[in-house]
Amino acid sequence: MTLTPVITEHWDDPELFTLAGYRRHGGYTALASALKQEPDAIIGTVKDSGLRGRGGAGFPTGLKWSFVPQNDGKPHYLVVNADESEPGACKDIPIMIANPHSLVEGVIITSYAIRANHAFIYIRGEVPEAIRRVANAVREAREAGLIGQNILGSGFDLEVVVHAGAGAYICGEETALLDSLEGFRGQPRLKPPFPAVAGLYASPTVINNVETICNIPYIVGRGVDWFRQFGTEKSPGFKVFAVSGHVNRPGIYEAPLGITMRELLEYAGGMTDGRQVKFWLPGGSSVPMLTAEHLDIPMTYEDMAEAGTMLGTGTPMIFNDTVSVVKAVTRWLEFYKHESCGKCTPCREGTYFITQTLERFEHGHGTDSEMGTLVDLCGQIAGRSFCALGDAAATPYPAALKYFRDEFVAATTTAVDDQFDPAASYVFSGAAAR
Amino acid sequence: MAISESTREQLDELVARYPRPRSALMPMLHLVQSLEGEVTPEGIALCADMAGVSAAEATAVASFYTMYKRRPVGRHHIGVCINTMCGLLGGDAVYDALSERLGVGHDQATPDGEFWLERIECQAACTHAPVMTVDWEFMDDVTPASAVDIVDRLQRGETVHSTRGPAIRDFRATEHSLAFPEDGLAAEGTPVDDKMLAGLRLAKERGMSAPAVPAGQEG
Ligand SMILES: Cc1cc2nc3c(=O)[nH]c(=O)nc-3n(C[C@H](O)[C@H](O)[C@H](O)COP(=O)(O)O)c2cc1C
Ligand code: SF4
Ligand code: FES
């Protein structure tokens, strides 16, 4: 399958981040045509396109929008989830840095479609570069009359606020994000009610991922038939894949959904030093890992589910055979433990206990019976936690055990650093390492 | 803290940005952190007052988020990503080298008030592993040697550029940008780098592109 730059098409123009640069490449023409349509017609177009959310779960975007009650007399809100903090996910931040106006244009069209007069872009606080570039784009759009009162003479009013987070992965969970935006600790809310009915300030709210919203101008501007040329029936469209790990050219590769990891790997220059793929994850640390035998499975929502994993954020991480899977999993669990919001017991206590046990394995002090205990424990957490962070924390270990049981057995006697020289996994060597 | 007229105006501006005052709590905490280099009880009380909540409630919020520091950070915040991708590809060694160079461990400041060192989680930059941040600006693809060199140059007062952003200012300046992100620096540096362009360049080299837009439907 070929590469198909759409969202990334003009990233090599250093002026793309400005309004003038974006307009030179056709920017904001989709907005002009959207504002001439009825809002419901745009929701219909997005429904027909089959676009699925790029934040991880793959929920159909048009369907989500259609859940917003109309003529309910309440204000509606659009909230863009730009909290990108999932380990391995690194595509929304580059999009916002390189092409912030595509997000802003998507925000204006989406707000018009769902009849929101107020939109928020919640960007994680640790990336000032993305925040300042999006804020700059919002300012330029406001000065050009694309945000504010009576946009392009349509009678539509919109305010857009750029909001910086302050370091909490859980704020990527949509209801925790809303609490955070309301000025509370970012802890998930009970669902239902879903945000589409009672979200920000208890009003109907659509929450979408950055990349999802960036698709909107292209779908509205170029049409459903054009969009559906990419991908499959159930996974239409293109995807900004971010390939990281032991590959020669890690980076951003935009391609149709349905491309395989083997093809992406070839585009990314193959494995470094000609080493073997040991394990890889299609989209973030919260999806089960796969191995070299899965390289030819199409990267779609449905095919990844069939392979026992998920497309997730579509940002594959690839590790070679120098890496200890025990160490990789332990590190992810340390992350989940650190980021657990503490609201519910299975996740708060479970991540603590799993991490403690895995750290014993990392140091060669695991036991056979603990391998089973960990399976039980993950089973107790998955499906019994208040939000999907708990489920995610229960994912890496069982997946790793399925393919690499021997390594956990070995870690009952020998520290992983004595089995796998850490320096062999480094991307630098010699003088650079001091 | 002594509240200047300008601080009061900025706080008012933040409150006015949102439909409800309490939503301004996070940017207000970033703002007071930019003034004091940490979030003090007085700073929290001020934010609480503006947001219309009790000091206890505002403290509960401030303590939930890792970017709000309850001790002085010092001039520069140094982060080293130690999540799986960065850590295993060399971030662990980068962290060790910096810890040795600075003589401090995780979440500690150097006695001279110059640097704060922190093991940080995934920065959404795994393609650029191992990643370090200075005052939260990206320092991509570092090695132990280059990371120590960055710290040395900062210590000598030299200008150091972020790999994907402006020249480094200091921790407090970044915190101010988080409250007021229109800081005039959006055009600085070369934020779109080779790795972000890898796929686009390859597509051009190989003559690949997305299917044409149907006639009459150009967006
Ligand atoms: C712990 C956790 C973290 C999440 N982080 C993000 C995130 O950073 N960005 C994002 O778009 N979605 C994230 N999600 C998914 C959101 O809850 C939500 O499904 C998504 O923003 C919906 O947007 P979409 O339909 O456009 O994909 C996270 C979910 C969980 C449980
Ligand atoms: S599963 Fe974890 S993150 Fe989610 S609500 Fe429970 S404690 Fe918080
Ligand atoms: S693991 Fe370091 S940026 Fe993602």
Side-chain angles (χ1 to χ4, degrees):
Chain A
M1 220 168 255
T2 69
L3 295 169
T4 52
V6 177
I7 292 175
T8 59
E9 186 181 358
H10 303 291
W11 283 18
D12 53 354
D13 179 349
E15 297 297 311
L16 181 64
F17 81 97
T18 66
L19 178 62
Y22 184 62
R23 277 199 157 133
R24 263 203 304 282
H25 299 292
Y28 289 106
T29 47
L31 172 65
S33 85
L35 291 175
K36 293 192 191 101
Q37 301 174 37
E38 282 300 312
D40 286 341
I42 298 169
I43 296 180
T45 300
V46 174
K47 254 189 181 168
D48 293 344
S49 76
L51 173 67
R52 297 173 66 164
R54 305 292 194 237
F59 192 83
T61 305
L63 188 62
K64 183 186 278 187
W65 294 5
S66 69
F67 292 153
V68 172
Q70 296 304 339
N71 305 316
D72 55 348
K74 286 187 180 174
H76 296 178
Y77 297 103
L78 171 66
V79 177
V80 177
N81 191 340
D83 194 54
E84 188 166 62
S85 310
E86 167 88 2
C90 47
K91 45 101 179 168
D92 296 334
I93 299 300
I95 290 173
M96 290 188 286
I97 290 176
N99 196 357
H101 277 287
S102 69
L103 176 63
V104 174
E105 184 175 10
V107 162
I108 305 169
I109 297 173
T110 304
S111 300
Y112 175 71
I114 64 163
R115 298 168 174 91
N117 300 112
H118 224 126
F120 297 85
I121 304 174
Y122 186 115
I123 311 178
R124 66 180 299 188
E126 302 97 320
V127 285
E129 184 60 16
I131 297 169
R132 67 167 63 91
R133 281 208 152 191
V134 172
N136 185 64
V138 167
R139 178 186 55 81
E140 285 185 307
R142 189 182 292 118
E143 286 169 4
L146 300 165
I147 291 173
Q149 305 283 310
N150 190 20
I151 297 168
L152 300 179
S154 64
F156 174 59
D157 304 335
L158 178 68
E159 260 324 303
V160 179
V161 174
V162 178
H163 181 95
Y169 167 61
I170 189 58
C171 291
E173 196 282 332
E174 55 187 23
T175 61
L177 188 153
L178 294 176
D179 260 34
S180 179
L181 195 50
E182 290 186 11
F184 293 83
R185 298 168 77 107
Q187 290 186 312
R189 299 176 179 175
L190 189 65
K191 292 190 273 194
F194 288 92
V197 176
L200 189 66
Y201 312 126
S203 288
T205 304
V206 164
I207 303 165
N208 273 127
N209 171 260
V210 169
E211 189 185 352
T212 310
I213 294 295
C214 288
N215 269 270
I216 301 303
Y218 300 99
I219 293 172
V220 169
R222 301 179 183 183
V224 168
D225 292 343
W226 174 81
F227 185 75
R228 279 191 171 273
Q229 287 179 81
F230 306 84
T232 64
E233 176 65 29
K234 288 182 179 154
S235 302
F238 39 85
K239 181 82 191 64
V240 178
F241 292 100
V243 182
S244 65
H246 288 119
V247 300
N248 283 311
R249 277 195 305 269
I252 303 289
Y253 296 85
E254 193 174 3
L257 285 162
I259 193 169
T260 66
M261 190 64 240
R262 193 180 301 284
E263 290 169 311
L264 280 175
L265 192 52
E266 193 269 318
Y267 289 133
M271 297 295 284
T272 47
D273 305 324
R275 296 199 80 103
Q276 297 299 308
V277 176
K278 180 168 176 179
F279 59 98
W280 64 283
L281 295 81
S285 59
S286 302
V287 310
M289 64 175 62
L290 297 172
T291 66
E293 62 185 277
H294 303 105
L295 291 174
D296 295 308
I297 301 172
M299 305 270 286
T300 63
Y301 296 98
E302 62 275 20
D303 292 288
M304 286 294 133
E306 196 166 312
T309 183
M310 289 185 287
L311 183 64
T313 51
T315 51
M317 289 186 275
I318 307 170
F319 298 89
N320 71 20
D321 54 3
T322 64
V323 172
S324 154
V325 77
V326 175
K327 188 167 180 164
V329 168
T330 305
R331 201 60 70 91
W332 281 317
L333 259 299
E334 284 166 351
F335 168 79
Y336 290 114
K337 174 190 155 194
H338 184 249
E339 301 298 329
S340 169
C341 82
K343 179 165 179 149
C344 69
T345 313
C347 169
R348 184 185 63 239
E349 303 299 323
T351 51
Y352 185 85
F353 196 85
I354 299 177
T355 304
Q356 213 176 36
T357 311
L358 282 172
E359 283 170 351
R360 280 202 295 278
F361 278 87
E362 188 176 345
H363 294 111
H365 305 312
T367 67
D368 284 341
S369 77
E370 279 174 336
M371 284 170 59
T373 308
L374 283 177
V375 173
D376 289 346
L377 205 61
C378 290
Q380 298 290 334
I381 296 172
R384 289 182 173 83
S385 300
F386 193 79
C387 85
L389 188 147
D391 300 332
T395 299
Y397 173 75
L401 190 68
K402 178 166 153 196
Y403 299 115
F404 301 101
R405 170 173 284 273
D406 290 355
E407 274 189 42
F408 288 91
V409 174
T412 60
T413 56
T414 313
V416 299
D417 281 358
D418 294 336
Q419 304 175 50
F420 297 86
D421 174 13
S425 308
Y426 296 169
V427 290
F428 46 77
S429 60
R434 289 206 311 167
Chain B
M1 64 190 287
I3 310 156
S4 69
E5 191 56 32
S6 130
T7 301
R8 177 66 67 183
E9 279 169 18
Q10 292 180 49
L11 288 166
D12 285 337
E13 193 180 328
L14 290 175
V15 168
R17 187 188 282 172
Y18 295 88
R20 296 188 187 179
R22 184 165 184 157
S23 282
L25 197 47
M26 290 178 72
M28 287 194 291
L29 287 165
H30 280 305
L31 180 67
V32 300
Q33 183 153 264
S34 81
L35 298 172
E36 301 195 288
E38 66 177 311
V39 174
T40 61
E42 296 76 40
I44 291 176
L46 176 62
C47 296
D49 190 38
M50 298 293 298
V53 301
S54 71
E57 273 185 278
T59 305
V61 173
S63 63
F64 184 80
Y65 299 94
T66 52
M67 286 179 78
Y68 300 129
K69 303 301 183 193
R70 317 290 289 284
R71 285 173 285 133
V73 167
R75 195 147 68 100
H76 294 294
H77 178 280
I78 306 288
V80 181
C81 177
I82 49 70
N83 204 300
T84 307
M85 184 57 77
C86 286
L88 273 51
L89 266 55
D92 288 352
V94 171
Y95 174 81
D96 289 345
L98 284 173
S99 178
E100 193 192 315
R101 160 68 179 78
L102 297 171
V104 294
H106 170 61
D107 262 354
Q108 287 176 358
T110 55
D112 62 3
E114 285 291 297
F115 299 101
W116 171 285
L117 181 64
E118 186 170 338
R119 295 163 67 85
I120 57 176
E121 296 295 352
C122 180
Q123 293 296 296
C126 323
T127 41
H128 297 67
V131 170
M132 167 182 168
T133 57
V134 177
D135 305 326
W136 299 113
E137 309 285 357
F138 284 123
M139 290 291 174
D140 301 309
D141 300 298
V142 287
T143 68
S146 73
V148 167
D149 182 56
I150 287 167
V151 164
D152 288 343
R153 279 153 53 212
L154 289 168
Q155 185 123 46
R156 289 197 298 268
E158 292 173 21
T159 303
V160 174
H161 288 270
S162 158
T163 46
R164 283 187 286 161
I168 298 301
R169 297 169 295 160
D170 59 27
F171 173 72
R172 289 167 51 181
T174 295
E175 281 295 321
H176 197 273
S177 290
L178 295 179
F180 292 95
E182 291 169 35
D183 57 10
L185 299 175
E188 299 291 309
T190 45
V192 183
D193 69 354
D194 291 347
K195 288 180 170 181
M196 286 166 62
L197 294 173
L200 177 62
R201 287 196 178 136
L202 193 67
K204 285 189 167 175
E205 235 172 79
R206 299 196 185 177
M208 298 172 170
S209 60
V213 182
Q217 283 187 32
E218 282 88 356

